[in-house]
Amino acid sequence: MSSTGAPPPPPGPPPPPGPAGGVRHLLALRLRRAQEETEELRAALAVRPLTALATGVLAERLGCGPAAAGAQLLALAARAHLGPQELAADILTTLPADPPDSTPGPAAAPPQAPQAPAGQAVPVLESVLARTADMLGAPAAVLWTVRPGGVLQPVAAPGFTEAERAPWQHVPPGVPTPAQQALARRAPLGPTGPVTATLGAARAPYRLAVPLHRADGPSAVLELAWTTRPPDPTPAEHRRLHAAAEVGALTLTDGLSPGPARPATEPDDPDTAALDAALAPALLLSPEPATGTPVDFRITRVNAAFTDLADRPPHRVEGRTLTETYPRACAEGLLDLLLRVHATGRPHHADTLALTFLTGQTPAPALLEFAAARLAGPPGRLLVSWRPTGDDDRTDRLLRTAQRLSHLAGFEEDLRTGEIHWTPRTADLLGLPAGTAPVPLAALPAHVHPDDEQAVRRVVNAAVENGRPDSTVFRMRDLGSYTHYVRLAAEPVPDPTGRTAAVRGAFQDVSAQHWTETALAATTESLASTRQEAAERHLLALRLQQAILPPAPPPLESAGLRAAVRYRPSSQQDRVGGDWYDTTLLPDRTALLVVGDMAGHGVEAATGMVALRNALRGLAYTGAGPGRLLGWLNQAAADLTGAATATAVCARYHPDTRTLHWARAGHLPPVLLRDGTARPLPMPHGILLGAADDPDYQEHRLAMRPGDILLLYTDGLVERRDRSVEEPLDHLTRALAEPAADLDALLDRALATSTADTDDDTCLIAVEVLAEPAAGPPPAPDPFR
């Protein structure tokens, strides 16, 4: 190529992006890049006399051809932020003219990393390191190579004896040597000291470590050693140290990896720091062109967690434009989305974004969790993070969706691939045989009652065709009885263009709720025109309350307990409240003990109480502890009862260890009767149900003994308008401490001696631990001792 002749005039500004100018804009950008590369080649030719000598030295020392040595020189200059001519001068002043222990011979291929150099490479390294150390007045130096897993191995250590080298042949990442610290920081360390844990620390305890990070990962660390603390290196000395580290590392590898070099970034670049701090896979994008209106982005860097969806290594991605790296995703709207983020400065986040990538020439659809934001600063870079929603993530997301929509079973269907995911209970909930393959949404109307087909088609069309959520209640077709009602709720998952790429949602068995709502609606309608409507609503609430609160508890002897319950309604007939209790023997032989109080009175409080009681009983079959059960019940309080709040105490008794696990949600603590003494249990942290989105419910553990009696109650037993609850609660404990014939007599005395004056509903549960021996580990500590 000749360096003479006038260069072509620079192109004018590219046309504004738009439907007609987008292709011309990209072509103009590519033309500008080609002209810039031409100018770079001309600049390289201008310094050829000096760089040619440095290239020859590198070719002779590294055992490679002139072309490879020239490419390595240019790569070193880019990484050291120097011009080729300046770096060539540094190399010529740093490299020895002729290593004393090497003999010229045929060029040999450099050894494969990360193996230690052999033969003529070791003397070269020793000589380079000795000259570098002498330049800064250091009596010794070490070049560490990075082995798989981050293990450091010394490959050259001039100034140190073999005895000093022997114990430090392999330094794992957990050992805080200066070299490992510099490697972890990705930046030079020191001068620092005195250090005690590194090669030759007893003789030279002050160190300076300079890491080398290649495009495909860390490669080597250069470490200098002094007997006394040295002065800080000058910028020129820092450049020579980096050059020596680069030259030393190049002797350990086959040369540069194919593909564009990693773009240079300053160590203190805040955008790079934000990228490296991201835990999820992330990319740093720079606008193209750098000035004016961008039409594309260049992938400046990716972080350590990044995995290319086309299975390419990072160096095949960095330095390339977004459109040439991910053409299919950009054509589907990714580029337009990022251009909007850049133009408006508003971040974008999507729990699920549908994009297609190319593996070779094969399209690979993917559902991603996606986020993009414009970083502060003049370059206007974008920080983009995406992560495929794998099976575990998809299951978690489906469970969250099911909790938000119906708290039972979720589904997701990818409309591009036809892939369908159901949570495990979905087939059983729909009444389908075990092992039935998931049913596509388009085929669902064929499985429902003929009268409900149109409603199901309306929901499917709303999500797939119109891109909006919808819901309906339907009956399945071949169940032998049409009393089984299922609620379907579906919402669309859009791609960047707004088209529906997937549909997700939930199924809920609402048979009991449907018949309850039907009965309430029929009763309300029949009484709407009469003066007895209020009385009938009260009667309906009272019957609901009586139906949900059985007069006697189920037998709990198999769980090692004896139980008794009481319910005292309010004396005012119009104040039917939401107090409730439940005692249930679970499949794992544990006993569930619950009391609760729904805020308010009337039908709303009674139906809310029914919903919470049924929800908690169903959730208890998961085997979760009381704290987690109350966390789930808090979500149910928001979804099933609107804005209402409630208090509750939830306990689970394990007969094998006689251990009681319990938690509270804004409720008074249970009372423990032991050895003639009654005391309230210490209160764990826990706020009202429905008062916060994601509260923390602390769980306590109590070691029970044979003969212990535990009393759970609602606030109607002790609440007074004229004083705090501590005085009535103290009165209750004194009354319970007196001997009683049995649990029923104990509960009757508690109600008879109550000093409460709010005339509210009251629920009580008393359980006594039986004398059967308990098996298993020793019980938990006694909270009263």
Side-chain angles (χ1 to χ4, degrees), residues 60-63 95-96 98-103 108-111 115-131 141-143 145 153-160 162 165 169 247-253:
E60 189 275 330
R61 292 293 184 259
L62 303 181
L95 288 174
D98 189 11
D101 297 329
S102 63
T103 303
Q115 297 174 352
Q120 60 186 6
V122 172
V124 172
L125 289 176
E126 295 277 354
S127 179
V128 171
L129 295 183
R131 290 285 298 275
V142 188
L143 182 66
T145 184
Q153 179 181 358
V155 295
F160 290 111
E162 291 297 331
R165 302 183 191 190
Q169 291 303 306
V247 172
L250 283 174
T251 65
L252 310 179
T253 63

Side-chain angles (χ1 to χ4, degrees), residues 351-353 366-368 389-391 393-402 409-423 426 438-441 488-493 501-507:
D351 289 336
T352 307
L353 184 69
L367 297 178
L368 307 176
T389 55
D391 291 339
D393 294 330
R394 182 180 291 112
T395 300
D396 291 340
R397 188 182 68 256
L398 293 179
L399 289 176
R400 291 195 303 268
T401 302
F411 68 87
E412 183 180 84
E413 180 175 347
D414 192 324
L415 301 178
R416 301 166 304 169
T417 63
E419 186 178 12
I420 305 173
H421 291 270
W422 277 5
T423 52
T426 308
V439 178
L441 286 175
L488 165 65
E491 64 179 17
V493 176
V503 177
R504 63 185 177 187
F507 295 106

Side-chain angles (χ1 to χ4, degrees), residues 82-124:
L82 300 173
Q85 187 174 11
E86 185 179 2
L87 181 63
D90 284 345
I91 291 177
L92 292 175
T93 58
T94 302
L95 288 174
D98 189 11
D101 297 329
S102 63
T103 303
Q112 296 288 334
Q115 297 174 352
Q120 60 186 6
V122 172
V124 172

Side-chain angles (χ1 to χ4, degrees), residues 37 54 95 118 218 257 285 288 295 332 348 368 441 459 461 472 484-485 489 507 530 536 654 671-672 677 723:
E37 292 176 352
L95 288 174
S257 301
L285 305 181
E288 288 281 338
V295 295
E332 290 180 344
H348 179 84
L368 307 176
L441 286 175
V459 173
N461 290 336
T472 190
H484 182 73
Y485 285 81
F507 295 106
T530 68
E536 293 295 337
H654 298 261
V671 175
L672 176 67
T677 302
R723 64 195 67 178

